[in-house]
Amino acid sequence: MNRRFTCIVCPNGCEITAELDGGKIVSVAGARCKKGGAYVRQELTCPRRTFSTSIILEGGKLPLVSVRLTKPIPKEKIFAVNELIHRQKAQAPVRIGQIVLENVLGLGSDVIITKNADRLS
Amino acid sequence: MEHQYDCIVIGAGVVGNAVARQLSACSVTIAVLEKEQDLCFGTSGRNSGVLHAGFNNKTGSKMARFCVEGNLEFDRIAEELDVPFKRTGKLIVGFSDDDKNSLRAMKAQGDANGVPGLEIVGKERIRELAPFIAGEFAMYSPMTGILNPFIYTVALAENAHKNGAAYFFACPVTDIFYQDGRYRITAGGRNFASRWIINCAGLESDKISALLGIKGHKLYPCRGEYFILDKKAGQYLGIPAYPVPNPREGGLGIHLTPTIDGNILIGPSSKYIEENDNYSVTQDIMDLLIKDGGRIFPYLKREYFIRNFAGIRPKLVGPQEGGFADFVIERRSEAPYAINLVGIESPGLTSALPIAREVVRLIREVEPLKPNPGFDPVRKGPPAFAGLTNGQRRALIQQNPDYGEIICRCENITKAEVLEAINRPLGAATVTGVKYRCRPMMGRCQGGYCQTRITELLRQEKKLAVKEVLYQRKGSNMFTGVALK
Amino acid sequence: MTAIHKEAVIVGGGPGGLAAAVKLKQQGITDIIILEREKQLGGILRQCIHDGFGLTRFGETLSGPEYAQRFIDLVEQEKIEYRTDTTVLSISPEKHLTAVSPQGLLEIDSAAVILTTGCRERTRGSVAIPGERPAGIYTAGVAQTYLNLKNIMVGKKVVILGSGDIGLIMARRFTLEGAKVEAVFELQPYPGGLARNVEQCLNDFDIPLYLSHTITDIIGGARLEAVIVSEVDEQKRVKPGTSRRIECDTLILSVGLIPENELSAGASVALDPRTGGAYVDENFMTGVEGIFAAGNALHVHDLVDFVSLEAEKLAEAAAKFIRRGKLPVCGIKLVTDKNIGHIIPQSISGTKDVTLTLRVGRPLTGGALKLQQDHQDLLSQKFIKLVPAEMIEIKLAKELIKSTSEIKVVIAHE
Ligand SMILES: Cc1cc2nc3c(=O)[nH]c(=O)nc-3n(C[C@H](O)[C@H](O)[C@H](O)COP(=O)(O)OP(=O)(O)OC[C@H]3O[C@@H](n4cnc5c(N)ncnc54)[C@H](O)[C@@H]3O)c2cc1C
Ligand SMILES: Cc1cc2nc3c(=O)[nH]c(=O)nc-3n(C[C@H](O)[C@H](O)[C@H](O)COP(=O)(O)OP(=O)(O)OC[C@H]3O[C@@H](n4cnc5c(N)ncnc54)[C@H](O)[C@@H]3O)c2cc1C
Ligand code: SF4
C-alpha cells in the first residue's frame, strides 16, 4: 500500500510517497533530505506538532505576549496544551526564552515567551 | 421626558443639515433626528460628488432652478464652510449624429435654465480639456464642479449645531401624531414635541409623509453602482466626462468623475431594486461599468480598482415611466405645519441650500421667523496634513506632536486629524464616520495599515468596549470580543 | 531647516532593513540611519507569532518575533542609529528624503537609499467581490494584527477566501482561539500557500480546502451573515448550479500581497508590473542610481530567511557604491517566457556570479528550466514539479556568460 505525506519539517514541503507493508515502511520517495523519512516514520507512530499562541501580559504596552512550544508534542494533545497555556498570565517585563510552563503535561516540551516586552512606565 | 423644539428636521443628510443650518439663521429652536449613528450615512455619502450646472433638468422645474442657484453660489459657500471644491468644468461626449442632436437640445435647455458658458466643442478642444477621453465632439460646461460630499454634509451640520441646532443620532422616527398644536414624535425610544416638522428623510421620506398623513407619494429605489479607481489613474482625468444620457434611464449615464481627492469614480449604473437599503454591488453591473467606462476612458485598467460602492436614488417615477420627476417640496393642508420633501434625487447635493431656503420661505408663509442675531455662517475645518507645505507642517507638529504621527499611510493622514474627527462637536462615533471626515481607509490599501489604529483610537476616545466598536450602521459591530480574558 | 547628510538611509526596519543595516556597518559604512514608522523595529514579524522562521539563516526554527529580535540585538550591538515612529513621506531622485515624526520633520540627503518597506495586502476592492458591504470582512494580515497584537477576536464563524500563507496560518490561529473555521476557498486549482501550511494549519484541524472555488455574493446589511460560494471552471467562470450558501460572521481575505512602493513613484523608480516592485540589477540597485530595494518591497517572499539574505547581498553592493560612487554597468537584460511569473534581478553585468530568484506563473510538472543567450543554452536544470508558492533560485556563474546580449529564461517541456 502507498501513502502520501507532505513533510512539514521545512518550507520545501516535499510530497513523500511511502510504500507500506502492514505498519512497516518498505521505501520512501520524494523527500529531498533525510529528515523526510524520519518525518514519515513519526507520522505513522505518533504524529507530533508544535504551535504558537499568546498569553495575557499584565503591565505591558501590549495586552498580550506570544509564546511557543520548544519541542513538538503529540498532535492529539494540542487542544489540551493550548487550553492550559491560555490559563497562564505573564507580568511585564518579559524576555524571549523565559519559561511559562515547564515540561507541559509531562510531554517533554516547555512553553516559552517569544517576545521582549517592557513594563509600561 | 419630552424634548421640545420649534422645528424638528428628520434626517441628517445634506438636505436635512442644510435645512437645519438655514433655520439656525432664524430665532427658533431646532433638533435634527437621525436614525443612523452618524451624519451622512444615506445618499449624501453615496453619490458622484458633482456640483451640477443645471442643464439636465427641465426648464421651469424646481430641479433646474435650485440646481442653477446652488451652482452659482457655491464658491462663496465652499469658502464659508471650508469645503474642498473645484470648478473643473465638465464634458458630455458624443459619438453619433443622434448624440449631437441630443447635445444641442441639452445646450438649449441649459441656456434657457440660465446656465452660463455652455459650448459645443470639437475633438481638438476635448483633447485640450481631457487628453485621455474619447469622443468625436462634446458639450462643455465650464460651471460644473466637484466637491467633497461628506465634508459638505458634515460642515452644514457642524455650522447648524454651532448656531444652536441639537442633533440626536440612533433616533429613527417611528411615530408622529398631532396634538394640541404640536407634533408628538417617537424616535429611537425617545419622545419629542415640535411645532414644525421638516421631512428630509431621503429614501424613507415617503414613509414619513405617510406618518404625517400625506398620501400619494411612493418612492422607487434605484441603485447606482460605482468603481473607485486609484489615484494613479486620477492623473489622467481632471474633469468629469459623461456620455450623452439615455432619457429613458433616469440617470445621467455611466460617467467618469474625478473626486476632489484625486481618485476617479466610474458609474453610476441605474437599476430599480426592491429594498431601499441594499447597497450590494453586482457582477453584471461591474462588468457593465468596465465596458461603458472604457468607451469614454480607453486607458481603464483593472489594477486601478480599489473599491466599489453603491448609492440609491429615491425616485418618484417607477421603472415603467423612467426619467425624472421634479423635487417635491410642499406644505399640504393634511399637515399644515410640516414641510414635506420627497424625491430629492440628483441634483440634490447641488441644490441642498436653495432647497433649504425654499423650506424657510414656506414656513414664513405661515409665521414670521425673526433672524437669529448671533448667526455665524462660518465653519472652519481642521487642517489636513497632506495638503500643507513643509513649513506649515513643522509649525503644526510643534503645536501638537500628534500631527507628526502618520495613521493612514496611503493618504498621509495624521493621528491629530483622526482625533479631531472623533472629538469635534458632532464628531465621528463609528469607523465609517472617521473615514468620511478625514479620509483614512479610503486610499489604495483600504485600511490595511490604519484600520487597527483607528478602531483603537475610537475605543480610547469614546471609552468603548471591544464589542461596541461599529463599522457603520447599528449591528455592524467590528469585533465579537477579546480573545483572551 | 537644512538637511542632514548620511551615507545610507534605510527606509523600513523590518528584517530586510535590519539585515541591510547590520551588513553595511560590518562593511565599514558607519554613517547610516534606519527609519521605521512603527513604534518598534521588527516589521511584519512582530505579528507573525507562529514558528517556522530562521531554518535557513540560523539553522533553527524560531517564531517571527524571535527572528526579528536577533537582528534588533545586532543593530543595538553595532550601535546603529535608528528612529521609530518616523514615517518617510517622500524621496526625490536626488535622494533627498523627508520624514515625519512627533518630534517634527526630518530631512536627509543621502548617498544611498535602501527601500525595505515591505508589502501590503490585496483587498476586497482590488479583487472586486460582489455583494453587500457589511462589517466582518478583513484581510488576513489585519485579522492577525487584531488577534496577535491587540487581543481582539474579529469573529467566531469564519470563511477564508484565498489560500495564501497568511490565510492558512490564520485558520489555525482562529481555531486555537476558539473560532470555527468553516472552510478555505481558492480560485486557482492549486493552493497559494506552502504545502506544509496546508498540512499543519488545515488538514491537522480538519478544515476543508476547496480549490477552483470563489465567492460570488456577500450577504449581510450590517454584519456579515453568509457568503455564497461557487465552483469555477478552467477559465475561472462560475459553473452554473454549483452555488451554495455558507453561514458565517467573518470573511478573511488572503488574496495576495503587493510590494509597498508608495515612495518609488516620487523617486522616479520604475516598477516591474510582474513583481509590483522595482526593476533592479544584480546589485539590487533600482533604475535610479543609489536607490536600492530588497525584501518584500522588491518582490513578495514567503520566507523571511531569504529576505535577510537578499538584504545582506544588497548591503554588500551598496557599501561598494558608497565607497566608489558607482557600480559596474548591468547591461544584460533577463527576459522570461510566459511560464515564469517573475525574476529578480532583471539585469546583470556578466562580471560576477549571480543568484537569480524566480517564481513560475502556474504549477508545472516535468521539464527543464533553461537560461539561453544568443540561442544557446547557458544552463539547464531539470525539475519534477514547480509551483508558484515556492521561490526558485538558480546560480549563474560568470564564466557561462558569453556576450552582452539578453539572457532568456525559459521552461522547456519534456
Ligand atoms: C448614485 C447617485 C449619484 C448622485 N450624484 C449626485 C451628484 O453628482 N450631484 C448632486 O447634486 N446630486 C447627486 N445625487 C443626489 C444626491 O446625492 C441626493 O439628492 C442627496 O444626497 C439627498 O440628500 P438627502 O439629505 O435628501 O438624503 P440622505 O442623504 O439620504 O439623508 C436622509 C437621511 O434621513 C435619515 N432617515 C431616514 N429615515 C429616517 C427616520 N425614520 N428617522 C430619522 N432619520 C431618518 C437617513 O438615515 C438619512 O441619513 C446622486 C444620487 C445618487 C443615488
Ligand atoms: C502577514 C505575513 C505573514 C508571514 N508569515 C511568514 C512565515 O510564516 N514564515 C516566513 O518565513 N515568512 C513569513 N512571511 C514573510 C516574511 O515575514 C516577510 O517576507 C518579511 O517580514 C519581509 O521583510 P521586509 O523587511 O521586507 O518587510 P516588513 O517586515 O514588512 O518590514 C517593512 C517595514 O518598513 C516599514 N515602512 C514601510 N514604509 C515606511 C515608510 N514610508 N517610512 C518608514 N517605515 C516604513 C514598515 O512599517 C515595516 O516595519 C510573512 C509575511 C507576512 C506579510
Ligand atoms: S524532506 Fe527534507 S527537504 Fe523535504 S520538506 Fe522535509 S525536511 Fe524539507
Side-chain angles (χ1 to χ4, degrees):
Chain A
M1 189 188 76
N2 281 355
R3 218 179 115 185
R4 288 163 75 95
F5 296 86
T6 303
C7 178
I8 61 165
V9 176
C10 92
N12 283 335
C14 294
E15 278 188 18
I16 305 176
T17 310
E19 196 187 323
L20 303 176
D21 183 9
K24 288 186 63 119
I25 304 170
V26 181
S27 68
V28 295
R32 269 177 262 183
C33 84
K34 280 204 281 247
K35 290 180 201 158
Y39 171 76
V40 169
R41 228 162 295 132
Q42 185 164 73
E43 283 296 287
L44 287 171
T45 50
C46 167
R48 285 173 174 267
R49 298 289 184 266
T50 65
F51 69 91
S52 304
T53 182
S54 304
I55 59 173
I56 294 277
L57 178 68
E58 289 172 342
K61 281 182 199 151
L62 289 173
L64 296 172
V65 66
S66 51
V67 299
R68 70 169 166 94
L69 297 172
T70 53
K71 292 206 182 71
I73 55 161
K75 195 162 120 178
E76 75 270 9
K77 300 282 187 210
I78 290 178
F79 282 98
V81 170
N82 184 48
E83 213 187 294
L84 191 60
I85 294 175
H86 282 167
R87 275 189 249 144
Q88 313 304 312
K89 284 186 177 156
Q91 308 290 326
V94 287
R95 286 286 167 270
I96 289 175
Q98 204 170 308
I99 294 178
V100 177
L101 286 170
E102 214 175 318
N103 190 13
V104 61
L105 294 180
L107 297 168
S109 171
D110 298 336
V111 177
I112 58 163
I113 299 271
T114 59
K115 200 182 266 183
N116 293 348
D118 292 330
R119 263 203 93 68
L120 186 69
S121 44
Chain B
M1 200 189 92
E2 197 181 58
H3 304 268
Q4 301 235 7
Y5 294 92
D6 296 322
C7 303
I8 280 187
V9 178
I10 303 175
V14 70
V15 173
N17 293 326
V19 167
R21 177 183 188 250
Q22 203 63 38
L23 284 169
S24 74
C26 310
S27 265
V28 286
T29 56
I30 308 149
V32 181
L33 310 187
E34 168 55 54
K35 77 170 157 68
E36 301 291 343
Q37 319 291 318
D38 200 343
L39 305 165
C40 208
F41 280 5
T43 309
S44 303
R46 302 165 167 280
N47 54 60
S48 303
V50 173
L51 188 81
H52 287 301
F55 48 78
N56 285 112
N57 310 102
K58 219 188 259 154
T59 307
S61 65
K62 289 182 201 140
M63 273 183 173
R65 188 149 59 88
F66 294 152
C67 185
V68 172
E69 224 178 284
N71 179 292
L72 295 179
E73 71 182 355
F74 207 78
D75 298 86
R76 177 176 59 78
I77 301 298
E79 172 99 34
E80 232 168 55
L81 295 171
D82 202 6
V83 176
F85 161 63
K86 208 157 121 191
R87 250 186 228 285
T88 48
K90 159 172 154 177
L91 285 170
I92 299 116
V93 295
F95 298 87
S96 65
D97 283 348
D98 279 355
D99 287 351
K100 198 160 205 167
N101 291 334
S102 305
L103 286 181
R104 288 211 182 96
M106 196 187 269
K107 179 177 179 309
Q109 178 169 278
D111 291 342
N113 292 353
V115 179
L118 298 176
E119 279 180 78
I120 304 285
V121 299
K123 231 176 171 157
E124 229 146 76
R125 187 92 169 97
I126 298 180
R127 292 292 160 285
E128 258 174 61
L129 290 162
F132 299 95
I133 291 298
E136 293 299 314
F137 44 82
M139 184 177 86
Y140 173 54
S141 158
M143 292 307 281
T144 307
I146 55 176
L147 71 150
N148 181 322
F150 313 112
I151 303 274
Y152 182 39
T153 304
V154 169
L156 285 165
E158 284 183 4
N159 190 242
H161 183 60
K162 177 173 157 191
N163 288 302
Y167 275 78
F168 294 86
F169 295 101
C171 265
V173 172
T174 43
D175 198 16
I176 304 174
F177 65 96
Y178 196 74
Q179 190 186 41
D180 307 331
R182 276 173 196 282
Y183 285 107
R184 310 279 151 155
I185 301 165
T186 314
R190 299 188 222 220
N191 300 314
F192 297 85
S194 178
R195 290 194 298 111
W196 287 92
I197 282 186
I198 301 96
N199 171 14
C200 305
L203 288 158
E204 300 269 312
S205 56
D206 54 347
K207 297 200 183 77
I208 299 291
S209 296
L211 287 180
L212 288 166
I214 299 170
K215 293 199 184 70
H217 293 309
K218 174 165 168 48
L219 287 175
Y220 301 87
C222 176
R223 187 165 61 208
E225 297 180 31
Y226 291 90
F227 264 113
I228 310 180
L229 305 190
D230 195 297
K231 286 187 174 175
K232 272 186 251 164
Q235 61 188 332
Y236 296 115
L237 190 72
I239 169 169
Y242 285 56
V244 174
N246 172 352
R248 292 275 318 148
E249 264 190 359
L252 298 180
I254 287 163
H255 47 261
L256 285 117
T257 310
T259 70
I260 196 79
D261 296 294
N263 297 85
I264 293 183
L265 303 180
I266 304 186
S269 52
S270 184
K271 187 169 184 220
Y272 281 95
I273 55 171
E274 293 299 317
E275 306 134 284
N276 68 1
D277 64 345
N278 186 330
Y279 294 106
S280 288
V281 292
T282 57
Q283 191 64 53
D284 295 354
I285 302 274
M286 286 193 224
D287 296 342
L288 176 81
L289 293 181
I290 295 170
K291 189 172 128 271
D292 282 14
R295 203 164 78 101
I296 35 185
F297 180 52
Y299 297 85
L300 188 61
K301 277 197 256 175
R302 194 86 224 179
E303 60 170 271
Y304 293 148
F305 300 160
I306 59 172
R307 196 188 169 92
N308 309 78
F309 73 95
I312 302 177
R313 306 173 182 85
K315 291 190 82 73
L316 279 164
V317 283
Q320 269 71 46
E321 270 167 279
F324 289 86
D326 202 1
F327 295 146
V328 169
I329 307 168
E330 61 185 9
R331 191 174 66 79
R332 297 251 291 240
S333 54
E334 303 95 297
Y337 295 97
I339 308 295
N340 197 33
L341 277 59
V342 191
I344 311 297
E345 59 161 317
S346 188
L349 181 68
T350 312
S351 314
L353 272 177
I355 290 173
R357 285 195 295 269
E358 175 69 2
V359 167
V360 171
R361 191 188 67 77
L362 288 172
I363 296 179
R364 281 211 166 109
E365 282 182 354
V366 180
E367 68 178 53
L369 294 176
K370 275 199 258 106
N372 170 4
F375 178 72
D376 177 4
V378 177
R379 170 258 181 199
K380 190 83 200 107
F385 179 86
L388 302 177
T389 65
N390 280 349
Q392 292 168 318
R393 289 170 172 179
R394 256 185 222 109
L396 261 183
I397 298 169
Q398 216 155 45
Q399 279 169 28
N400 178 359
D402 286 344
Y403 273 106
E405 189 173 334
I406 302 289
I407 290 277
C408 164
R409 65 178 164 193
C410 309
E411 310 267 325
N412 288 335
I413 294 152
T414 62
K415 183 177 174 187
E417 289 159 78
V418 173
L419 287 176
E420 176 73 14
I422 297 170
N423 292 328
R424 276 169 91 77
L426 300 187
T430 65
V431 174
T432 303
V434 173
K435 163 167 133 175
Y436 281 178
R437 282 170 179 82
C438 62
R439 257 187 86 69
M441 299 169 284
M442 290 209 186
R444 64 183 65 120
C445 93
Q446 291 287 300
Y449 182 70
C450 62
Q451 190 207 75
T452 58
R453 289 163 170 78
I454 286 163
T455 53
E456 188 155 298
L457 289 173
L458 261 175
R459 280 175 54 205
Q460 171 195 311
E461 297 301 304
K462 299 271 172 194
K463 312 251 175 321
L464 301 175
V466 168
K467 278 187 174 179
E468 292 170 335
V469 178
L470 289 182
Y471 172 62
Q472 184 182 37
R473 313 183 190 178
K474 187 173 165 213
S476 66
N477 300 61
M478 297 278 294
F479 313 122
T480 50
V482 294
L484 297 174
K485 293 210 176 64
Chain C
M1 199 182 119
T2 50
I4 57 171
H5 289 266
K6 288 281 168 196
E7 285 179 310
V9 181
I10 295 127
V11 185
L18 298 175
V22 170
K23 195 67 172 189
L24 273 175
K25 188 74 187 265
Q26 289 167 349
Q27 302 274 312
I29 307 294
T30 52
D31 191 16
I32 60 180
I33 186 169
I34 306 169
L35 303 178
E36 168 56 53
R37 63 184 172 197
E38 298 277 352
K39 293 197 163 27
Q40 298 89 7
L41 296 176
I44 198 72
L45 292 183
R46 292 185 318 111
Q47 69 186 57
C48 300
I49 65 169
H50 54 278
D51 74 353
F53 299 82
L55 217 49
T56 308
R57 181 64 176 65
F58 294 114
E60 58 182 309
T61 162
L62 303 167
S63 67
E66 289 169 280
Y67 185 96
Q69 193 60 43
R70 300 228 167 163
F71 282 96
I72 296 172
D73 289 346
L74 287 172
V75 165
E76 301 281 2
Q77 264 168 40
E78 296 280 352
K79 302 205 165 41
I80 295 168
E81 185 183 358
Y82 64 87
R83 298 223 191 151
T84 52
D85 256 331
T86 304
T87 304
V88 176
L89 296 175
S90 64
I91 303 172
S92 77
E94 296 74 36
K95 290 165 285 173
H96 179 86
L97 277 86
T98 309
V100 64
S101 78
Q103 279 76 51
L105 286 192
L106 179 66
E107 297 194 46
I108 306 177
D109 284 312
S110 189
V113 172
I114 294 166
L115 297 174
T116 45
T117 47
C119 62
R120 57 178 51 195
E121 297 182 278
R122 249 183 242 285
T123 63
R124 173 176 180 186
S126 54
V127 294
I129 306 170
E132 290 188 79
R133 327 203 51 84
I137 304 173
Y138 294 91
T139 57
V142 169
Q144 191 180 45
T145 310
Y146 280 124
L147 185 55
N148 291 352
L149 297 181
K150 313 243 176 210
N151 194 24
I152 290 175
M153 274 309 258
V154 296
K156 291 192 172 139
K157 231 166 131 53
V158 181
V159 164
I160 300 179
L161 177 64
S163 56
D165 283 311
I166 319 169
L168 301 178
I169 298 274
M170 282 310 289
R172 177 173 63 182
R173 285 290 298 131
F174 275 126
T175 309
L176 288 175
E177 301 304 327
K180 172 94 173 80
V181 179
E182 298 291 330
V184 178
F185 297 95
E186 168 60 56
L187 180 68
Q188 302 292 345
Y190 51 88
L194 297 172
R196 70 192 302 228
N197 286 337
V198 173
E199 187 66 24
Q200 61 182 350
C201 299
L202 301 186
N203 297 349
D204 275 359
F205 297 94
D206 300 321
I207 300 167
L209 168 62
Y210 295 93
L211 301 173
S212 298
H213 273 73
T214 193
I215 291 186
T216 46
D217 206 357
I218 288 174
I219 292 155
R223 174 83 196 197
L224 183 64
E225 290 162 22
V227 294
I228 308 293
V229 298
S230 310
E231 213 179 311
V232 298
D233 63 15
E234 294 78 43
Q235 271 78 52
K236 312 271 177 313
R237 286 173 313 209
V238 171
K239 285 193 194 168
T242 59
S243 302
R244 64 200 159 100
R245 178 182 165 112
I246 298 181
E247 306 297 320
C248 57
D249 64 10
T250 305
L251 172 62
I252 298 295
L253 303 176
S254 183
V255 290
L257 300 167
I258 314 163
E260 169 96 27
N261 274 286
E262 291 295 280
L263 298 168
S264 300
S268 306
V269 169
L271 303 183
D272 182 340
R274 291 168 301 177
T275 55
Y279 284 102
V280 290
D281 61 21
E282 66 194 18
N283 303 305
F284 296 94
M285 189 156 88
T286 67
V288 181
E289 193 166 55
I291 300 186
F292 298 79
N296 279 354
L298 179 61
H299 60 132
V300 173
H301 296 62
D302 25 55
L303 282 175
V304 68
D305 302 67
F306 294 125
V307 171
S308 307
L309 295 169
E310 184 174 281
E312 283 163 355
K313 278 197 268 173
L314 175 157
E316 281 169 16
K320 283 196 193 117
F321 173 81
I322 293 164
R323 267 187 247 110
R324 301 182 196 152
K326 65 174 201 272
L327 287 168
V329 177
C330 292
I332 305 175
K333 284 210 170 65
L334 290 166
V335 295
T336 54
D337 76 359
K338 64 176 189 324
N339 293 304
I340 314 283
H342 70 248
I343 190 158
I344 297 284
Q346 292 94 335
S347 63
I348 60 174
S349 66
T351 62
K352 71 175 192 187
D353 300 346
V354 288
T355 303
L356 309 175
T357 304
L358 57 91
R359 278 181 202 269
V360 291
R362 61 190 169 87
L364 299 166
T365 43
L369 185 63
K370 293 185 172 185
L371 300 188
Q372 301 171 327
Q373 193 179 34
D374 303 320
H375 307 288
Q376 288 188 340
D377 285 2
L378 304 182
L379 191 142
S380 174
Q381 268 180 19
K382 286 202 169 165
F383 62 84
I384 304 167
K385 189 174 170 193
L386 295 177
V387 294
E390 242 177 274
M391 230 161 67
I392 303 153
E393 290 197 337
I394 315 172
K395 294 201 169 26
L396 176 58
K398 65 170 186 266
E399 292 75 32
L400 293 175
I401 302 167
K402 298 292 186 300
S403 76
T404 55
S405 28
E406 63 178 34
I407 296 177
K408 290 201 171 88
V409 186
V410 299
I411 300 282
H413 292 283
E414 281 173 349

